[in-house]
Amino acid sequence: MQPRASRTELAGLHGGALRVRLAAPPVDGAANDALLRYLAEALDVPRATIALLSGHSGRRKVVEILGVTAADVSRALQLGER
């Protein structure tokens, strides 16, 4: 995760993890909230199905998305094309 980017967008894969640029600053959980909202919208799932499991104050996060497989995520975010 890269906070304070010029815009919120997927920046591809980096070391086997998704790299996401967020326009939100890393203050009072704003970047974490922006990340979860972005993922919910990109994957077309309710925000309530996404939880931040670890990395609340770091750049590397672990996110759980209920009812979605890794293949679904890859397809939805078009990771095979990057």
Side-chain angles (χ1 to χ4, degrees):
M1 183 177 87
Q2 178 185 348
R4 291 196 177 144
S6 60
R7 63 181 176 193
T8 298
E9 64 184 351
L10 181 66
L13 293 173
H14 180 73
L18 289 177
R19 183 175 178 105
V20 180
R21 293 185 181 121
L22 298 169
V27 178
D28 296 330
N32 291 338
D33 291 339
L35 172 65
L36 300 180
R37 282 192 316 272
Y38 172 78
L39 290 174
E41 184 177 317
L43 299 172
D44 195 28
V45 297
R47 166 59 187 88
T49 64
I50 301 177
L52 183 58
L53 298 181
S54 67
H56 292 81
S57 61
R59 286 180 177 251
R60 297 184 74 79
K61 315 272 185 211
V62 175
V63 177
E64 177 183 53
I65 307 167
L66 299 176
V68 178
T69 66
D72 294 336
V73 171
S74 181
R75 226 178 354 266
L77 301 179
Q78 301 173 356
L79 296 175
E81 299 175 9
R82 293 185 183 267

